[in-house]
């Protein structure tokens, strides 16, 4: 009961300025599934990620824990600060890309395939360590041009339906698209277990689905354009409470 009250307390705090998380636009049964870790299907991926955290990998035969120790301490708040700037590549990277960079640079292990269970499991495990914390995009001057391009994408009309993200998630939020309520487009619950997918998916998968939905050619998975859009969404959701790993219809 205490956890339930704490959870609803977080949601109410988020709505004080008119912003609501994606979970606020779900039905009571799906909300209950997300709140209860014994019922949330994403916890299966979390358990897989926890095992991978401790397992030696690559030619270096090093585990994540060998460098970072207990994730509950060292990774607290980390997921809330992504995407972030990668000084080596000179581009922003999201959490999944950061994980793969660590694998290749420090473990000498091949990167996991995007949207693979291993990568989503590790993302989910790390995201869980920031659950209940505020989304805190980094105040990094190097990110400014990428954030600006992400904003341009958010307001740009695309596809055969000639729609922008803003037209749905700003102007039509709370209305229905078929049987589903249109959320405000805050990404504080990703990665998510989506009932439609019957599996986990990243924010990029959802963004690419939206692009397909308006009959636009989606960016390739992992493209910098998608990370730029993720950056803008992180800024737009700054201060909101992390819900990940979430459940969505």
């Amino acid at each position: 009961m205490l956890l339930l009250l704490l959870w609803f307390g977080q949601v109410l705090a988020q709505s004080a300025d008119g912003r609501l998380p994606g979970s606020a636009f779900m039905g009571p049964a799906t909300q209950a599934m997300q709140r209860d870790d014994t019922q949330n299907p994403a916890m299966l991926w979390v358990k897989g990620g926890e095992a991978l955290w401790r397992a030696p990998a690559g030619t270096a035969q090093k585990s994540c824990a060998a460098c970072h120790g207990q994730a509950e301490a060292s990774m607290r708040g980390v997921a809330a600060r992504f995407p972030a700037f990668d000084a080596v590549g000179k581009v922003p990277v999201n959490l999944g890309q950061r994980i793969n960079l660590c694998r290749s640079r420090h473990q000498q292990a091949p990167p996991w395939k995007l949207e693979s269970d291993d990568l989503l499991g590790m993302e989910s495990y790390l995201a869980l360590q920031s659950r209940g914390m505020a989304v805190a995009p980094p105040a990094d001057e190097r990110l400014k041009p990428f954030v600006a391009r992400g904003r341009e994408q958010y307001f740009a009309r695309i596809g055969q339906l000639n729609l922008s993200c803003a037209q749905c998630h700003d102007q039509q939020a709370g209305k229905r698209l078929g049987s589903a309520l249109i959320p405000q487009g805050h990404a504080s619950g990703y990665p998510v277990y989506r009932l439609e997918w019957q599996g986990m998916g990243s924010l990029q998968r959802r963004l690419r689905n939206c692009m397909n939905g308006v009959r636009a050619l989606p960016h390739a998975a992992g493209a910098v354009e998608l990370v730029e859009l993720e950056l803008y969404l992180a800024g737009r959701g700054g201060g909101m409470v992390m819900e990940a790993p979430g459940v969505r219809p």
Side-chain angles (χ1 to χ4, degrees), residues 24-39:
F25 298 86
M26 304 188 308
T30 312
Q31 289 176 335
M33 186 183 296
Q34 177 173 285
R35 286 196 304 270
D36 185 348
D37 285 352
T38 66
Q39 298 296 321

Side-chain angles (χ1 to χ4, degrees), residues 11-178:
V11 171
L12 289 172
Q14 287 176 291
S15 63
D17 61 0
R19 294 181 299 167
L20 290 167
S23 59
F25 298 86
M26 304 188 308
T30 312
Q31 289 176 335
M33 186 183 296
Q34 177 173 285
R35 286 196 304 270
D36 185 348
D37 285 352
T38 66
Q39 298 296 321
N40 185 336
M43 291 303 156
L44 296 173
W45 278 259
V46 168
K47 287 297 183 184
E50 183 177 9
L52 290 168
W53 178 264
R54 305 177 193 283
T59 57
Q61 278 298 286
K62 292 174 66 175
S63 68
C64 303
C67 287
H68 299 287
Q70 294 294 321
E72 293 84 354
S74 63
M75 294 292 111
R76 184 71 175 150
V78 169
R81 300 193 292 269
F82 272 83
F85 192 78
D86 177 52
V88 176
K90 309 294 185 187
V91 291
V93 295
N94 62 23
L95 181 60
Q97 291 169 327
R98 177 74 259 175
I99 291 166
N100 270 338
L101 287 172
C102 280
R103 280 181 62 78
S104 60
R105 291 174 183 172
H106 304 298
Q107 294 176 303
Q108 284 87 59
W112 283 316
K113 185 178 178 181
L114 299 181
E115 303 301 326
S116 66
D117 283 342
D118 284 347
L119 184 55
L120 288 168
M122 185 65 79
E123 286 186 74
S124 299
Y125 179 57
L126 297 187
L128 181 67
Q129 312 313 318
S130 296
R131 189 169 64 178
M133 299 185 72
V135 176
D140 189 332
E141 290 291 319
R142 297 171 296 181
L143 290 173
K144 281 190 172 181
F146 300 98
V147 174
R149 286 194 287 272
R151 185 183 187 280
E152 288 174 6
Q153 290 188 68
Y154 186 81
F155 287 97
R157 291 172 177 260
I158 61 172
Q160 292 178 339
L161 298 187
N162 196 35
L163 290 172
S164 69
C165 308
Q167 284 177 286
C168 281
H169 298 293
D170 290 350
Q171 298 172 21
Q172 306 298 325
K175 297 181 181 179
R176 289 196 175 273
L177 180 62

